[in-house]
Amino acid sequence: MTTELDVAGVRGMFVAACDAMLENIELLTHADQAIGDGDHGVGMKRGFAAALAFLNENEPANVGEIFKGVGGAIMSASGGASGAIFGTFFRAGNKSIGDAVMLDGAGFAAFLKAGLEAVEKRGGAAPGGKTMIDALDPAATAASGAGEDLEAVLAAAAAAAKDGVEATKSMIATTGKARTLGERSLGHPDPGAISLSIVLDAMAKAAAGADAATA
Amino acid sequence: MTTELDVAGVRGMFVAACDAMLENIELLTHADQAIGDGDHGVGMKRGFAAALAFLNENEPANVGEIFKGVGGAIMSASGGASGAIFGTFFRAGNKSIGDAVMLDGAGFAAFLKAGLEAVEKRGGAAPGGKTMIDALDPAATAASGAGEDLEAVLAAAAAAAKDGVEATKSMIATTGKARTLGERSLGHPDPGAISLSIVLDAMAKAAAGADAATA
Amino acid sequence: MRRVKKILNDPAKVVEETLEGMNLAGDGATRLLPGNIIVADREKTDKPALLIGGGSGHEPMFAGYVGPGLADGAVCGQVFAAPSPDAIVAATKAVDCGKGVLYVYGNYSGDNMNFDIGAELADEDENIATRTVRVRDDVAAAPVERMDDRRGIAGDFFVIKVAGAASEAVDTLEELHRIAAKAEANTRSIGIAVSAGSIPETGEPTFELGEDEIEIGMGAHGEPGAKRQKLAPADEIVDQMMDLLLADLPFKKGDEVALLINNLGSSTPMELFVANRRVRARLADAGITVHRTEVGPFITSQEMAGYSITLMRLDDELKGYLDAPASSLAYSN
Amino acid sequence: MRRVKKILNDPAKVVEETLEGMNLAGDGATRLLPGNIIVADREKTDKPALLIGGGSGHEPMFAGYVGPGLADGAVCGQVFAAPSPDAIVAATKAVDCGKGVLYVYGNYSGDNMNFDIGAELADEDENIATRTVRVRDDVAAAPVERMDDRRGIAGDFFVIKVAGAASEAVDTLEELHRIAAKAEANTRSIGIAVSAGSIPETGEPTFELGEDEIEIGMGAHGEPGAKRQKLAPADEIVDQMMDLLLADLPFKKGDEVALLINNLGSSTPMELFVANRRVRARLADAGITVHRTEVGPFITSQEMAGYSITLMRLDDELKGYLDAPASSLAYSN
Ligand SMILES: Nc1ncnc2c1ncn2[C@@H]1O[C@H](COP(=O)(O)OP(=O)(O)O)[C@@H](O)[C@H]1O
Ligand SMILES: Nc1ncnc2c1ncn2[C@@H]1O[C@H](COP(=O)(O)OP(=O)(O)O)[C@@H](O)[C@H]1O
Ligand SMILES: [Mg+2]
Ligand SMILES: [Mg+2]
Ligand SMILES: [Mg+2]
Ligand SMILES: [Mg+2]
């Protein structure tokens, strides 16, 4: 098991997350066409491409700098609701993790908790509103009960986020551009929730892969 | 043979022409869509409906008044190139026929000649330019050689106009909205020529029918 | 054939209802007269008058350009059909202030014939003098040697703007005619389209273009243009248009121009602004400066997707009239 | 899925190219700053400034309304996506004259969050005071008890017009905020659509409507509305819209209003004027007088076909600011 990752490892985990997002743009576009304005894919593409550029062009001194750089890149390149939301989310990791040079499972769980709080504060949405919070909130809860081991925490968070995406299908949107759909939003998953799930899934796989490579 | 018609007979012949035009609106629309702007059908519909209203609501004292009333109705209700052209055409009949109370073949032939001259003067187009003139010019020629008998003159004019329509298919437009089509106008008949042919055909049939009824 | 989806009442009454709505939108600045005529609602002053008009379906052209500094009246035909002579005479009478009336309209055989008949009747029956300027700005319609075969498209607007300002300033119909004719002679346009408009009464697109086709030189009623070709990046399309346009007058180094990018209907404003970027680069390359730019729907062709580019070469006189104040439903200055 | 046909270069650069073209079309009246920001090119005067903005794709909104008597600047996001906080801060710095900056934008969670972060950074890092008015005019988005769940559509224009005029006249940010908030509180809109727009980068329509379907209450990004139903004659559709609109503020007998009929993209101007005819009949029936009417593309949604109706209830103060002179790319007065 990958118990923790150093700065290079965290960087690799983020690169994997960016790659996974960039591979799933069409999926996100279609999800947002169904219940939003169709731009979530292109927004995430801009944001995660900028994050990847940040990761490729900088030598972060600590884990916090990675979270801050990725969040900042997404916030300024994505724009839209998801730029602010995912930017705020990742930047919260900088505050919770700070200048640590290792990231373990407890650190990641703390980040998810801080990220959730920051997102809720910024956007005013709550669980059940059919937003990425409905993937993040269960992920944060699962992570906080999954111990110290990073791989285990990530696996738990990713699984919970995936279930969260499923759960958004049966929610009626109360926030964002899907709000006026009312009952017509039923049956469709929330695009932002899908994005969070992709990120956590890619990170979990990267951490598992990092283990395999160093085992 | 119907050698000549009185005012009521001429009126009936014009009613038949209006009815025939109103039955063929879609044909004219599609012809103008192919090489013009698609409004010839609705323009003729307005014009000949107004002409029909004139015929139904007035008691013309002589043949000239019928030509003048029909031409005036078309000119003010149709608008467009064809309103001016068909209006000018029919109104020329008033000048050539005047207050006569009978219309015979020579009279009709004289009208076609006067109408052709008036249309050429008004619009500046010449034979070969892919306009209604390419139906009218042969019709006028055929009529002037067909003697005094109205039915014979109309039959000759109608047949010549029909051939004229066919001939416009192999002409390249030099006037009106089809002009810029250049070679692309080849193969399509001219909408205004079709209209003239419908009018003459209906008049010829009406004259033949009038004969049958009074024979 | 596919029927176009629109929010209308009886399509046969669409022109009447449109003009009612346009007149109401003027909030008292205009009056609607029988015969689909809109006139500026103001005191008659002692000036040569400007009457514009043509087929409907090109809104805001023509009725949108009636007001101080623009036309005194507009006479509107049915969709894509010139107004009739009797309506033209009625409009002529309504706008005349005793100094005669200038007609400005696009050069189409329908308009030419109807306005000519109208002018003859105005002269004979009403004793009103008229002069005519036919706008022939579309370079795609015929070579420059056959200017009279060219049709009028968005260049109408510049000629109307100049003539409208001049009509407030000059004293005689002759002088107004001279200035409007000068504006006309210095104006050139070229249009393109990627999809068709439709006439409300038929509800059918007036032409068909393949999924990746574009027509270069498309007219304002869907009349075919110079050529049909494959769709290409905006910069390439604009280059083709500018090549035709610049060569035509020709526009030369040191010229100062007014520029109009006209939305034919349902192109997105983005596309027009993206085009403007390239137009300006081409003009800068050619050493031509832009005095004034207009971008938007000036003369539409129902829901046709496409746009046109118009240049008017300026001198001090034209510049003065172009910049003069104007106020109307569709253009204020 | 059907791909929409447009004349563009690289769709990923469409916003940058659009703003370049818009800035050039101003012929020197504006400047383009890094971060997709357009500002009025004029001497800074000692006044509270007005910054507007939001996602692109709604042209001429927002960058078309920058100039004297309107906004001092516009900060533009990608298509249908709010601008980022750092662009908002840069724009805030560029327009501030030392008396603080009022933000006016449509009420969407993306805009709200990004402008709020921008405001926090402007305060913390630049020491610039800001106030915010979020336009919530769309009556279809939520019942009146949940005004904060309503989105901003064409009502943006009236609030911007009033705030722009007020920013030239008042001395403090508080006072400017009060007036803009009053304009916002008195503005209501309702939109409809019969066909979808598309985002250039995906090239796909953002929704699908059946051949005879119409969406009542459609938002400016293709967000769904109050209901989907069969297409009906214009007068019936307008009646449905007016029923929702008049009941909402509510507008009452004796009220004086400004009226805006906004083209969402590719509706024909005819359809808007036909609608205006019925709108005016309904207002007359209700004893409401119209002070001023605007008809045209003010805030589009790419090539969506549809339109919206906006009413702003006026008092003398609002009327004065609405009528005050303004000059910009897309609106002059
Ligand atoms: N207030 C909010 N809190 C949390 N997430 C939000 C909020 N508003 C929107 N989102 C998320 O953002 C996603 C939409 O992102 P995107 O399409 O990029 O933004 P926009 O709504 O500006 O078009 C939604 O699916 C939702 O998950
Ligand atoms: N100058 C002209 N002389 C004779 N006929 C003409 C002339 N111009 C147009 N036409 C006729 O009018 C027809 C087109 O009529 P219509 O579609 O109603 O007019 P528009 O061209 O104004 O749309 C053409 O098919 C042609 O026969
Ligand atoms: Mg979205
Ligand atoms: Mg035609
Ligand atoms: Mg026509
Ligand atoms: Mg968006």
Side-chain angles (χ1 to χ4, degrees), chain B residues 28-193:
Chain B
L28 301 174
T29 296
H30 291 138
D32 200 30
Q33 278 169 352
I35 61 165
D37 58 356
D39 66 346
H40 187 59
V42 292
M44 291 290 90
K45 183 172 159 191
R46 283 191 305 270
F48 283 84
L52 197 56
F54 164 80
L55 294 167
N56 287 332
E57 289 159 20
N58 292 278
E59 290 285 344
N62 55 50
V63 175
E65 275 183 23
I66 296 181
F67 278 87
K68 187 178 173 190
V70 165
I74 292 171
M75 189 174 284
S76 67
S78 278
S82 51
I85 288 294
F86 283 87
T88 298
F89 171 60
F90 286 116
R91 283 164 64 118
N94 178 38
K95 285 178 202 147
S96 74
I97 295 163
D99 54 12
V101 293
M102 298 299 287
L103 180 66
D104 67 2
F108 197 85
F111 151 61
L112 288 181
K113 184 165 180 291
L116 174 63
E117 280 165 14
V119 164
E120 286 182 334
K121 188 162 169 229
R122 174 55 65 203
K130 198 171 180 122
T131 69
M132 60 83 82
I133 289 175
D134 293 307
L136 177 54
D137 182 56
T141 305
S144 76
E148 302 271 304
D149 184 90
L150 181 61
E151 192 178 331
V153 164
L154 275 167
K162 207 169 170 203
D163 291 347
V165 171
E166 272 307 300
T168 61
K169 288 189 188 167
S170 52
M171 294 175 186
I172 294 177
T174 61
T175 321
K177 285 181 176 129
R179 197 175 51 215
T180 47
L181 261 178
E183 312 228 318
R184 285 191 272 170
S185 67
L186 285 172
H188 298 282
D190 175 65

Side-chain angles (χ1 to χ4, degrees), chain C residues 246 249-257 286-289 313:
Chain C
L246 290 173
L249 190 58
F251 295 90
K252 291 194 300 283
K253 192 173 167 169
D255 280 350
E256 200 171 356
V257 298
I288 296 166
T289 53
R313 185 170 61 189

